[in-house]
Amino acid sequence: MKSLSTPYNSAHHKFAVFTACSTFVLIIAGALVTSNDAGLSVPDWPTSFGSIYKIPHLVGGVKFEHTHRMIAQFVGLLTIIIAIWTWRTERRRWMKYLGIAALGTVIAQGILGGLTVLFYLPPPISSAHAALAQTFFCIAVCIALFTGPRWVEEVPRVEADAGKPSLITLTLLSIFVLYVQLIVGAMFRHHGMSWWPHVVNAPMVAVVLTWTSIRALFLYSRIEAIRRPAVIMLALLIAQLCLGFLAFVTRVAWGHDAVQPELPMVISTVAHVAVGALLLATAVVLAIQVWRHVPIAFEESIPVRSRDPVTA
Amino acid sequence: MGHNTYKKGDVMTTKKWAAMRGLLSFLALALLLGCSKKENTSEEQATSPAKEAKTASAPIDPATAATVSGTVTFGGAVPKPQKIDMSQDQACKGNNVSETIVADSGKLANVFVYVKDGLGDRTFDVPKEPVTLDQKGCQYHPHVLGVMTGQNIEIKNDDPTTHNIHPTPKDNREWNESQPPKAAALEKSFAREEIMLPVKCNQHPWMKMYMSVVKSPFFAVTGADGKYEIKGLPPGDYTLAFVQEKLGAQEQKVTLAAKDSKTVDIAFKQ
Ligand code: HEM
Ligand code: HEM
């Protein structure tokens, strides 16, 4: 697939990076809604206080909820643009589909956001909204990655993977345990589950991610595209464990009697959600780079598909 | 996009279909979730008029009616009330301490007291008068409100800011509505019995209150002096329940003879 070379399109790539960054801001804005218990401060959807465009007085919970909705609309717009842009200018057909997938995900995410408001934040819907948010973030990061100059122009430095289990297996396992951690974390955060599955799974995440990044660094530190995400993943993991501990202390240990969401628990939980999103995206990038540079274990499963020339 | 795709053959269409089907089944699931909730609502609405239609049981003879009253106290050191930070909304200039435990010199306010057992199958007329819940200074007044099933609750906003009123019931229908300044009062009622049903405002996350919905008119809420009084009870053996939002519930049995006036005091501990 990579052989169908696409010229580097700087504007397209920068726009994709901007979309991914905006999505990260949106995740923080969303986490602020949850941490401030402001999810129902605007009771209606798709309107806000009965209006599609009027900006309400941004005080109290509305400040968080409505700001989140506005940033979400903005990111939705960016996604529409990037999907169309990709569809029209990309030569790689799978990239066109990725653009469409991004659009579909953002629409589903918006609908989930609305549904959770209309059904008064049921834990499964709120958690699905939290999990799909990070999924969308990963897609946005991937689009930015695939349109980047390194991806498009560089000839990948390919090495054979000798390890067992293979590095690609480890990176996929990392993504899997992170997803489990995200889902049980979200279920706990949205009052649908006890805290212990999340805390019990945390050492599991720590072990798998450490194993993966150490293995990557040990064998392939010469390859920058692998070294960088591996180092970042390790650093983020340590930060995330500390933040998780802080979130637990401020929200569960001290905060269970709080009369309102207090600043330390808002900051620690929002940071924990944000770093969680970065960690998941980093794991996805690492997996993709491993697949690109150390492809052995994966080669057989690449389907040989006939490609018709679309260069019209 | 449609005209663009004809070239690319079946791969695209099957993929597109798979994606569409995924989204559709997801939406269907969401709808299902929603509908099952709605069903509850209509069932509730269907049953409540039927209940009201039942005529009230034999009237209670005022000449033999008894009274039970008393004082609820808080044993031990009263925890210092937590400060509320209302700076998120300049329009909020209320009394900024939490009302989780209000115990002035050991007298416990905001305890809901009701006859939990002993009234048998007796049914009671629902008062035509509504009870009032006021939002003022970004706090609820009262903090604990007793109401009969089906009785109207008039919800007023006396603040220069928008509130949203969001009850989170277990057995009743949930709703969430916003109320701008000077808006007309909301008229609400609950169809099923539910003790200490939490109500909150998501604009001002410190705003919390509790509604207790009961089938009989025999209930009271302790005042700042910790006192309550329940009048007009027919003679009989009763179980009184005392419920505090944080300290939990306690029960006390009492036997009332005709025209009795008994005192039942109770103490809560943390
Ligand atoms: C389209 C992109 C969107 C993204 C990426 C996104 C992302 C997020 C994230 C990350 C959270 C925090 C979850 C958590 O901390 O556990 C959140 C919460 C929330 N979002 Fe969104 N959101 C989007 C759109 C919307 C829309 C259109 C609405 C419309 C009403 C909405 C309503 C909410 C609500 C109400 C919450 C709070 C849920 C709760 O407290 O249980 N979101 N969102
Ligand atoms: C590497 C490990 C970890 C990852 C990837 C992770 C990830 C997450 C994520 C993504 C959420 C929020 C989900 C949402 O968006 O709603 C969350 C919530 C939470 N996590 Fe973690 N977590 C990790 C470790 C820990 C640890 C070790 C602790 C505590 C000892 C912890 C405590 C919490 C708490 C208390 C919440 C809920 C915060 C709230 O109630 O607002 N986490 N975690």
Side-chain angles (χ1 to χ4, degrees), chain A residues 130 178 181-182 186 188-189 198 202 205 237 240 244 251 269 272:
Chain A
L178 278 172
Q181 184 71 344
L182 164 61
F188 166 56
R189 186 164 155 79
H198 186 72
V205 176
L237 171 67
Q240 183 68 342
R251 181 116 185 202
T269 52
H272 190 59

Side-chain angles (χ1 to χ4, degrees), chain A residues 23 26-35 37-40 42 44-48 65 68-69 71-73 75-76 105-117 121-123 125-127 129-134 136-137 185-186 189-191 269-270 273:
Chain A
T23 306
L26 175 56
I27 285 182
I28 293 176
L32 278 168
V33 175
T34 304
S35 288
D37 200 5
L40 292 177
V42 183
D44 51 337
W45 181 82
T47 50
S48 287
E65 172 64 12
H68 176 57
R69 291 186 184 194
I71 302 178
Q73 267 164 26
V75 167
T105 311
V106 89
I107 292 171
Q109 174 69 354
I111 293 173
L112 274 179
L115 285 180
T116 206
V117 167
L121 314 183
I125 299 189
S126 278
S127 303
H129 186 68
L132 198 61
Q134 299 204 10
F136 176 72
F137 178 55
R189 186 164 155 79
H190 298 278
H191 316 287
T269 52
V270 170
V273 172

